[in-house]
Amino acid sequence: MTTLRDKTPGFGVYLHWPFCAAKCPYCDFNSHVRHQPVDQTRFAAAFRREIATMRERSGPREVTSIFLGGGTPSLMEPATVGALLDAVADHWTVPNGIEVTLEANPSSVEADRFRGYRAAGVNRVSLGVQALNDQDLRFLGRLHNVAEALKAIELARETFPRLSFDLIYARPGQSVDAWSAELDRAIGLAADHLSLYQLTIEEGTRFQLLYDAGKLSMPDSDHAALLYEITQDVTAARGLPAYEISNHARPGAESRHNLVYWRYGEYVGVGPGAHGRFIENGRRNVTFTEKMPETWLDRVETHGHGVIGGEVLTREEEADEFLIMGLRLTEGIDLTRYEALAGHPLPLRRITELQDEGLVEPVGNTRLRATPRGMIVLDAVVADLARE
Ligand SMILES: C[S@@+](CC[C@H](N)C(=O)[O-])C[C@H]1O[C@@H](n2cnc3c(N)ncnc32)[C@H](O)[C@@H]1O
Ligand code: SF4
């Protein structure tokens, strides 16, 4: 298994399945509910066409990870997942054994489907568990209960070599003790990776309407910071330290795919509303596709792709993105790479100021990282460092 010491950023392939059985009230991802069955064969053919177009743009590459995200990819038939993975392997080089992750919702998994995904080449599952008590699952609008989540976890452990699951914390009224106990139980369920997200109020969600109407009382920033600190302490003590602001793993079990993003590697994004960032003609390109699934489908069938926008990044933009992504990591950023991207070093005076405030710290001679306190106010730290 590759370890965090292998710093090659890599080339990932992200495939976005944009459908969900219901829309969660906190979620602003590109996910859509359809009351008619989705024509998966037609969508799979469109994914293949868009992959072919991306291959023309990226040139021949060796893929380092594949991620089927959503939406709810576990609403796909195993044959659809197989068709998507085959299309990737037909267009780029896919070495044996690379990480292939599928996001699954506990309510949409069945044993047969899981076995089918495994046979299709999926070797890692990321389960959207979100909470380990029924009351909070109902509050979060989830379709599963704790018993179903536990069954899905067990099934995933039996079927896949690697398992991660997501929890959302800093829920209204959540005490430190309640969260510590829930987290402790989660770690005992023996996933090798956990994504632990603080609940955020996103634009355009039902929770935002409730929040604006004064009907949702969110934890204040001091309580949220306390919950964050507890999260770091409990996970570290139990052998799953944070390697990114919200992601925790046993050493060696970090998500290769997410590391591609945070280490500012390259990735292509395929499917409705997917983003990509890869080198084309020697420059880093951003691509993004049409979000509405049926419109994306029409575009792909007509033009061979659903890309509706993108740009070539300037050196400054690349350096800023590198900073934003890399400082989320516990390993921090390589200052020499920043200098190579930006064409100038990060201003020493600003590093020193942030260091004096206890928000960043050097790692060896060439790396810089956010301290645990800096992680809590990371947006401000990045803005300070990137300031002209
Ligand atoms: C796009 S979802 C995909 C996974 C899958 N559809 C599911 O919900 O189980 C990725 C994760 O983002 C997290 N998430 C989405 N919106 C959030 C929010 N407003 N606050 C905190 N976490 C959020 C959830 O933990 C979710 O599992
Ligand atoms: S959180 Fe997951 S299941 Fe819920 S709407 Fe978003 S993508 Fe769909």
Side-chain angles (χ1 to χ4, degrees), residues 26 29 70-71 103 105 128 130 142 166 168 197-198 200 202:
Y26 53 84
F29 282 76
E103 279 180 348
N105 285 24
Q130 318 305 359
R142 301 298 297 200
D166 297 357
I168 296 179
Y197 300 111
Q198 289 209 357
T200 51
E202 303 293 344

Side-chain angles (χ1 to χ4, degrees), residues 11-15 63 65-68 88 92 257 267-268 270:
F11 181 85
V13 176
Y14 177 77
L15 306 163
V63 176
S65 60
I66 302 174
F67 195 99
L68 296 132
V88 174
W92 291 285
H257 189 80
Y267 57 98
V268 290
V270 180

Side-chain angles (χ1 to χ4, degrees), residues 1-9 241-244 247 249-256 258-260 262-263 329-332 367:
M1 185 182 283
T2 37
T3 71
L4 265 187
R5 250 168 271 133
D6 162 27
K7 296 285 196 306
T8 322
Y243 67 100
E244 190 264 354
N247 283 274
R250 296 201 186 281
E254 299 85 4
S255 159
R256 304 306 307 172
N258 286 338
L259 282 173
V260 168
W262 298 317
R263 286 180 178 160
L329 288 169
T330 308
E331 69 182 20
R367 301 188 73 84

Side-chain angles (χ1 to χ4, degrees), residues 148-361:
E148 283 166 314
L150 296 178
K151 224 174 107 205
I153 289 170
E154 198 186 315
L155 196 58
R157 285 180 55 191
E158 281 166 21
T159 316
F160 300 96
R162 295 175 64 194
L163 166 68
S164 176
F165 58 85
D166 297 357
L167 294 175
I168 296 179
Y169 70 102
R171 305 167 207 143
Q174 192 174 36
S175 70
V176 166
D177 285 350
W179 171 235
S180 310
E182 194 171 337
L183 185 54
D184 211 46
R185 184 174 179 205
I187 295 170
L189 294 170
D192 60 6
H193 186 287
L194 290 174
S195 299
L196 306 170
Y197 300 111
Q198 289 209 357
L199 179 61
T200 51
I201 302 296
E202 303 293 344
E203 286 283 319
T205 59
R206 199 139 51 79
F207 272 5
Q208 191 203 15
L209 293 177
L210 290 173
Y211 183 72
D212 290 350
K215 292 181 181 160
L216 204 61
S217 75
M218 294 291 287
D220 62 29
S221 57
D222 284 350
H223 188 59
L226 196 59
L227 290 169
Y228 179 79
E229 279 163 25
I230 293 288
T231 305
Q232 308 314 302
D233 294 349
V234 172
T235 51
R238 298 280 308 269
L240 280 92
Y243 67 100
E244 190 264 354
I245 191 160
S246 307
N247 283 274
H248 303 254
R250 296 201 186 281
E254 299 85 4
S255 159
R256 304 306 307 172
H257 189 80
N258 286 338
L259 282 173
V260 168
Y261 301 148
W262 298 317
R263 286 180 178 160
Y264 210 45
E266 295 175 78
Y267 57 98
V268 290
V270 180
H275 289 234
R277 266 166 182 69
F278 57 88
I279 311 283
E280 189 179 13
N281 304 322
R283 302 290 303 278
R284 187 180 285 256
N285 262 270
V286 174
T287 60
F288 52 91
T289 57
E290 164 63 40
K291 285 185 161 180
M292 191 51 72
E294 294 74 14
T295 314
W296 173 85
L297 192 63
D298 283 346
R299 280 184 169 268
V300 177
E301 289 175 347
T302 313
H303 307 293
H305 64 84
V307 177
I308 54 165
E311 56 177 327
V312 177
L313 293 177
T314 64
R315 291 183 83 164
E316 277 302 321
E317 286 168 337
E318 270 199 90
D320 284 351
E321 287 194 342
F322 169 70
L323 205 60
I324 292 167
M325 300 311 276
L327 282 177
R328 300 171 64 102
L329 288 169
T330 308
E331 69 182 20
I333 57 160
D334 179 351
L335 291 167
T336 52
R337 187 159 168 228
Y338 177 89
E339 190 169 343
L341 286 171
H344 58 77
L346 268 180
L348 190 59
R349 189 173 48 83
R350 228 161 272 148
I351 295 179
T352 313
E353 279 166 13
L354 288 168
Q355 213 175 317
D356 290 346
E357 290 175 55
L359 299 175
V360 298
E361 62 190 4

Side-chain angles (χ1 to χ4, degrees), residues 20 22-24 26-27 29 31 70-72 105 142:
C20 288
K23 183 80 187 173
C24 303
Y26 53 84
C27 175
F29 282 76
S31 59
T72 306
N105 285 24
R142 301 298 297 200

